[in-house]
């Protein structure tokens, strides 16, 4: 008669996945050779690991429940097991420490439960300190590209992600889509981060990763952003740079501004229009400035008559 894996873990045959995990956790910590100095502890620790290895796997468990240890380890002919029957026979790899580490997480999880002398590490709340059954995956970082209009007015962006989700049986998983909604606030700056906690892939021994979106600004056809200000480049002829002109600028909210330029426009000159820049994230009713810079268009050639007129105007 084969060994009773349920009896090894001290559970009934009706135990669910959570009960199997709980029983293994309790017994593995109790009989780990570093904690338990009894001569039989290593053998008991290995028995517990093998029982958990079988009962935590739906396929192994189903074969064991139907055919016992002999059928599980000897292999089941297809005529008895049906399609997908366990035909090769189960062999326990014998590495109880490997199962212990996979269950508790980390390269050396036992060090978080006990000191080198085998005594328990106790927290202020009376429990064992350590990673626990699960550990969290590193964050998943993605760029969120937004137009200046999106950042000026604010908007809602819906992003579809595909992630691995654990099924109700606690053993298997499947890929499912989910829609994440981001409410963009007016005035957000490039580099703003939006975090969705635990929205990464799920797994039996992990805490899903956080998904972090970082705001990136799309290039704009008219403006370049500098903090809360907007920079606009106006192309004007040399003559207008000298005698003045009016610059028309269409704003992000589709108003047309007519800005008079009465100064002489030199290469380093800029015109500041207060309150016509980006909205401020702390107070959307306030805005930065519009800064008009100039690209002066010099003529490629001049007729002798025009050169004479310019000479008279500038050198007289």
């Amino acid at each position: 008669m084969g060994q009773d894996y349920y009896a090894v873990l001290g559970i009934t045959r009706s135990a669910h996945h959570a009960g199997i995990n709980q029983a293994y956790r309790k017994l593995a910590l109790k009989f780990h050779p570093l904690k338990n100095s009894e001569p039989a502890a290593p053998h008991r620790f290995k028995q517990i690991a093998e029982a958990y290895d079988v009962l935590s796997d739906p396929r192994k468990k189903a074969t064991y429940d139907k055919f016992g240890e002999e059928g599980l380890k000897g292999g089941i002919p297809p005529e008895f097991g049906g399609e997908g029957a366990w035909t090769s026979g189960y062999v326990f790899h014998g590495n109880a420490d490997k199962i212990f580490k996979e269950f508790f997480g980390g390269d050396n999880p036992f060090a978080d439960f006990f000191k080198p002398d085998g005594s328990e590490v106790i927290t202020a709340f009376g429990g064992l300190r350590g990673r626990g059954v699960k550990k969290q995956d590193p964050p998943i970082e993605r760029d969120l590209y937004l137009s200046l209009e999106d950042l000026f007015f604010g908007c809602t962006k819906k992003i579809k992600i595909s992630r691995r989700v654990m099924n109700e049986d606690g053993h298997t998983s499947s890929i499912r889509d989910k829609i994440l909604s981001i409410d963009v606030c007016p005035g957000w700056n490039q580099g703003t981060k939006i975090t969705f906690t635990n929205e990464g892939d799920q797994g039996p021994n992990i805490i899903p990763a956080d998904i972090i979106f970082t705001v990136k600004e799309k290039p704009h056809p008219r403006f370049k952003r500098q903090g809360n200000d907007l920079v606009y480049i106006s192309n004007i002829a040399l003559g207008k740079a000298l005698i003045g002109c009016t610059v028309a600028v269409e704003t992000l909210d589709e108003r047309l501004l007519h800005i008079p330029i009465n100064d002489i426009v030199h290469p380093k000159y800029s015109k500041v229009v207060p309150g016509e820049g980006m909205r401020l994230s702390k107070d959307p009713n306030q805005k930065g400035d519009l800064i008009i810079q100039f690209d002066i268009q010099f003529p490629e050639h001049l007729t002798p008559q025009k050169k004479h007129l310019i000479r008279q105007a500038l050198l007289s």
Side-chain angles (χ1 to χ4, degrees):
M1 181 177 180
Q3 63 178 318
D4 188 341
Y5 289 133
Y6 291 97
V8 170
L9 294 183
I11 55 177
T12 65
R13 288 181 171 266
S14 62
H16 295 295
H17 180 68
I20 295 171
N21 281 351
Q22 185 178 8
Y24 172 76
R25 185 181 193 280
K26 177 181 177 181
L27 294 173
L29 290 173
K30 179 180 179 181
F31 287 98
H32 195 288
L34 182 58
K35 173 63 177 176
N36 195 318
S37 59
E38 296 180 3
H43 175 71
R44 185 84 169 90
F45 183 64
K46 185 175 179 180
Q47 275 188 317
I48 294 165
E50 180 176 346
Y52 176 75
D53 188 49
V54 172
L55 298 182
S56 63
D57 185 296
R59 191 180 180 199
K60 297 174 190 173
K61 182 177 182 297
T63 304
Y64 173 74
D65 287 345
K66 187 172 183 180
F67 299 101
E69 184 187 13
E70 182 179 352
L72 175 70
K73 295 184 175 180
I76 302 301
E79 59 267 25
F80 292 102
E83 184 179 355
W86 187 281
T87 57
S88 60
Y90 165 73
V91 178
F92 179 53
H93 53 66
N95 192 341
D97 285 328
K98 178 176 182 293
I99 290 178
F100 186 88
K101 291 178 181 179
E102 288 176 350
F103 183 88
F104 288 101
D107 295 331
N108 186 18
F110 198 70
D112 278 352
F113 290 96
F114 300 102
K115 298 177 183 177
D117 61 2
S119 61
E120 292 181 356
V121 177
I122 306 297
T123 68
F125 300 98
L128 287 173
R129 177 178 66 83
R131 300 180 183 87
V133 176
K134 297 184 178 181
K135 62 178 180 178
Q136 187 171 26
D137 281 346
I140 300 169
E141 300 194 19
R142 297 288 184 268
D143 291 334
L144 176 65
Y145 284 92
L146 299 172
S147 67
L148 285 183
E149 285 81 1
D150 291 335
L151 295 168
F152 182 85
F153 292 104
C155 63
T156 298
K157 293 291 184 180
K158 296 187 179 295
I159 301 172
K160 184 171 75 171
I161 63 170
S162 296
R163 62 175 188 157
R164 185 169 296 280
V165 178
M166 293 299 296
N167 297 324
E168 293 182 359
D169 60 13
H171 300 282
T172 60
S173 61
S174 56
I175 301 297
R176 298 180 190 175
D177 292 335
K178 183 173 183 177
I179 303 296
L180 301 179
S181 181
I182 299 177
D183 293 324
V184 178
C185 297
W188 271 3
N189 292 295
Q190 177 159 287
T192 298
K193 294 184 181 295
I194 308 97
T195 300
F196 290 87
T197 304
N198 299 345
E199 290 292 354
D201 289 339
Q202 297 179 356
N205 293 317
I206 61 171
I207 298 172
D210 295 339
I211 299 180
I212 301 175
F213 291 93
T214 302
V215 171
K216 301 287 186 180
E217 293 176 0
K218 295 179 181 179
H220 196 272
R222 299 193 304 280
F223 300 109
K224 181 178 180 180
R225 185 177 182 180
Q226 289 183 355
N228 294 319
D229 299 330
L230 291 175
V231 177
Y232 177 81
I233 305 295
S234 176
N235 298 310
I236 61 171
L238 175 61
K240 291 184 177 181
L242 296 174
I243 64 175
C245 62
T246 298
V247 175
V249 181
E250 182 183 355
T251 64
L252 290 175
D253 53 359
E254 299 181 342
R255 291 176 295 117
L256 189 61
L257 302 179
H258 295 278
I259 312 299
I261 307 299
N262 299 317
D263 302 318
I264 293 177
V265 177
H266 53 79
K268 295 183 179 180
Y269 176 84
S270 62
K271 177 73 172 181
V272 177
V273 184
E276 290 294 347
M278 289 294 295
R279 290 180 175 175
L280 276 61
S281 59
K282 294 182 179 180
D283 184 1
N285 293 321
Q286 301 292 321
K287 291 189 288 186
D289 298 333
L290 170 64
I291 301 174
I292 303 176
Q293 297 177 347
F294 296 88
D295 184 5
I296 303 171
Q297 306 297 309
F298 285 77
E300 294 184 1
H301 65 275
L302 292 171
T303 64
Q305 182 180 7
K306 288 182 178 180
K307 287 182 179 180
H308 177 71
L309 292 173
I310 292 174
R311 187 178 293 109
Q312 283 186 320
L314 296 180
L315 300 180
S316 61

